[in-house]
Amino acid sequence: MTKWRTLALATVGFNFSFLIWFSFAPFTGPMAEEFGLSLAEIGVLASAAIWLAPFGRILTGWLSDKFGAPAVFAIVLGYVGVFSIASAFAQSYAVFFAERLIVATAGITFVIGIQHVSEWFDEAELGTAEGIYAGIGNAGAAGGALLLPRLFPTSWNGPIFSTNWRAAFFYTGVVAIGLAVAYYLLGEAARSDAKREATKETASFKGWFYTATRYGTVVLALAYVMTFGLELSMNGWLATYYREGFNTQNLTLAATFAATFSVAAGLLRPIGGYVSDRLARAERNILPVFTGRYREQWTFVALCFVVVTMFGMTLAGLTGRVLVAVAAGFLVGMGCAFAEGAIFAQVPAMFPDSSGAVAGVVGGVGTIGGIVYPLVYAAPFLANLHVGYAVVGASMIPIVLLTAWVFQPHVASVANESGFVTRDGDGGAVADD
C-alpha cells in the first residue's frame, strides 16, 4: 500500500539525514587535532550543529503543507549532500565551520517527514506511525556512531582522501544526493486530492501564526526542548564525554558507548507513540490527575522520567565507572524516546489539517535544547564534566510544571483552540486584547 511505502521512504530519508547531521561526532578527535580545537570549541561545534534548525524546521513545516513533502524533502537532501561533499575539501576551519552549518540543516527533514506521514495515516494509527518514522529515523545517529568510525577508521588512506573524516563527509554527501532523487521520484504528497487541498488551504501566514500560538503548540514545543533538544545535545556530545570524562582514548570504543544512547532514543520511540495511541483508544487513566486526558498523562510521566534520569547521569558519572555512565545514558535515551513519541502522537491528532506547521514549530523550538545544552556540558566553570547533566535536569523542572498546568482537563480540552491570538472573520488571526 502507498501509505506504507510513504512511511518507509520518509523513514529511510530521515534516518540518513540524522546520520549525516551528526556525522562529525565520531571524528571530533581527529578534527580537533587537525584544526587545533580546544574542548570548549568542540562543545561550540556540537552546539553549532543545531543553530539553523529552529528556523529551518519552522519554515519547512509550512512549506511541506503548501508544496507537499516530496519536493521539499528532495531539495533539502540535495543541497545537504552538495555541502557535505564540499566540507570534505575545506582547508581552513572557518570555511569548514560554515559548510558544516549548512550540512547540519539535514535535521530539518524531521518535520517534513512528520507532515508526509500524517497525510497518509488515520488518527488511530498516527502515534504508532509517527513513532516508527521518528524512532528509526533518529537511530541514524546511532548508525553514524557505529558505522562511520568502522567504515572510515583512523588509519584510512583512500584514493581521494588520506584522512578518515574527510572521506566520511564526501561519501555521505554522495548518498544524500542519491536519496534526494529517489524521494522526489517515488514520493506522493497525500492520500487523496481532498486531503492535499485541505492541508494546502491552511498554509497561509495567518493560518500558521494562529496554530503556532495555541497553548497546546507552545507547551508541546517546550516539552520538546527538554526531550529532543536533549537528544540532539547528547548525540553531538557523548562521544567526547566518554573519551574525555573517562580517558577512553579509543575513538571507536567511545563512539560505540555514545551509540547506546542513540539506539535507545531512536529505536524505542515507537513505543512512546504506541502507548499514547493505546491509552487513547482504551480511554485508560494511568494517573490520578489529568483524568480523561489519556495522551497527556503518558506524556507527563515520560517527561518526569527524563528529569530523574538526568540527575542519575551525573551520579553515574561521579562513580568514575564508564559502564555505569553508559547504562545511565541508555536510560536517558529511553526517557527521550518515550516522551518524544508521546509528544508527536499529540501533534497531528490535535492539528490534523496543519500538522506540518505545528510540527515545524514544535520541532523547531525543540532544537533549542540542542544548542544550549552542549554549552552547559562543556562550561569551564563546572567542577567536572559530569555535573552539567544535573544542571540541565534542574532547568527542565519549570517546563514539567508548565505541562502539569496545561494538561489539566479544563485547559487541555481547549488547548488546540485557545491561545495568544483569536481567529478573525476571514479565517486569519488577530492578537488578543
Side-chain angles (χ1 to χ4, degrees):
M1 295 175 64
T2 307
K3 72 175 183 178
W4 297 110
R5 185 183 73 195
T6 298
L7 179 58
L9 187 63
T11 301
V12 171
F14 182 51
N15 181 277
F16 191 78
S17 296
F18 223 105
L19 183 151
I20 201 170
W21 190 4
F22 289 101
S23 56
F24 74 92
F27 305 110
T28 54
M31 286 189 299
E33 183 177 347
E34 183 166 342
F35 288 118
L37 305 179
S38 66
L39 183 62
E41 288 171 324
I42 293 175
V44 172
L45 182 62
S47 170
I50 327 295
W51 288 356
L52 299 181
F55 174 75
R57 285 188 166 195
I58 292 171
L59 177 63
T60 51
W62 175 76
L63 289 175
S64 297
D65 282 343
K66 189 171 183 65
F67 298 107
V72 181
F73 213 129
I75 290 171
V76 174
L77 281 174
Y79 77 70
V80 162
V82 169
F83 278 91
S84 182
I85 292 172
S87 71
F89 295 93
Q91 296 303 311
S92 74
Y93 183 65
V95 172
F96 171 78
F97 187 87
E99 290 172 340
R100 293 310 294 182
L101 274 181
I102 298 174
V103 173
T105 61
I108 69 181
T109 57
F110 168 72
V111 298
I112 307 172
I114 285 286
Q115 191 273 352
H116 201 189
V117 172
S118 71
E119 291 291 274
W120 282 93
F121 284 82
D122 296 327
E123 181 179 346
E125 301 175 310
L126 270 177
T128 303
E130 299 287 22
I132 292 171
Y133 158 74
I136 297 176
N138 284 4
L146 291 171
L147 294 177
L148 292 181
R150 290 169 171 81
L151 292 174
F152 306 99
T154 305
S155 58
W156 174 274
N157 191 14
I160 302 178
F161 302 101
S162 59
T163 53
N164 58 346
W165 62 269
R166 292 183 185 273
F169 296 164
F170 177 84
Y171 289 111
T172 52
V174 171
V175 174
I177 294 173
L179 283 175
V181 174
Y183 210 113
Y184 184 77
L185 295 177
L186 298 176
E188 296 183 42
R191 62 178 178 264
S192 68
D193 291 340
K195 175 60 176 170
R196 178 74 198 104
E197 286 303 314
T199 299
K200 190 175 180 179
E201 286 177 4
T202 66
S204 65
F205 176 75
K206 285 186 176 181
W208 173 86
F209 186 69
Y210 179 82
T211 55
T213 53
R214 299 309 87 198
Y215 296 137
T217 305
V218 172
V219 75
L220 290 177
L222 291 175
Y224 216 55
V225 169
M226 60 170 282
T227 54
F228 185 66
L230 175 63
E231 179 182 345
L232 295 180
S233 71
M234 297 288 247
N235 283 333
W237 173 253
L238 279 181
T240 301
Y241 170 66
Y242 290 130
R243 187 179 72 246
E244 300 292 335
F246 299 92
N247 197 29
T248 306
Q249 297 304 314
N250 187 310
L251 298 182
T252 301
L253 183 60
T256 301
F257 287 157
T260 60
F261 167 86
S262 300
V263 167
L267 295 183
L268 297 180
R269 182 163 173 163
I271 297 175
Y274 173 76
V275 172
S276 184
D277 283 350
R278 185 69 180 269
L279 293 175
R281 286 197 300 266
E283 298 184 349
R284 181 179 177 186
N285 292 297
I286 60 173
L287 290 177
V289 293
F290 317 139
T291 303
R293 307 303 305 185
Y294 314 108
R295 293 189 189 274
E296 286 85 349
Q297 289 178 0
W298 169 236
T299 301
F300 184 76
V301 168
L303 293 176
C304 290
F305 184 74
V306 170
V307 174
V308 171
T309 55
M310 283 299 285
F311 285 100
M313 189 77 182
T314 287
L315 294 176
L318 292 175
T319 67
R321 301 168 130 187
V322 65
L323 292 182
V324 175
V326 170
F330 184 89
L331 292 178
V332 175
M334 180 187 298
C336 289
F338 291 167
E340 291 161 12
I343 290 167
F344 268 94
Q346 289 184 239
V347 167
M350 188 180 295
F351 301 95
D353 291 330
S354 52
S355 59
V358 179
V361 174
V362 174
V365 173
T367 58
I368 292 174
I371 298 172
V372 176
Y373 296 156
L375 302 179
V376 176
Y377 302 148
F381 58 81
L382 295 178
N384 54 60
L385 285 180
H386 311 298
V387 176
Y389 303 112
V391 174
V392 170
S395 74
M396 295 173 175
I397 294 175
I399 297 176
V400 174
L401 294 177
L402 178 62
T403 62
W405 180 76
V406 174
F407 287 174
Q408 297 175 91
H410 70 282
V411 179
S413 62
V414 296
N416 63 329
E417 299 173 354
S418 298
F420 299 107
V421 298
T422 56
R423 193 177 295 276
D424 63 24
D426 295 324
V430 295
D432 285 340
D433 294 329

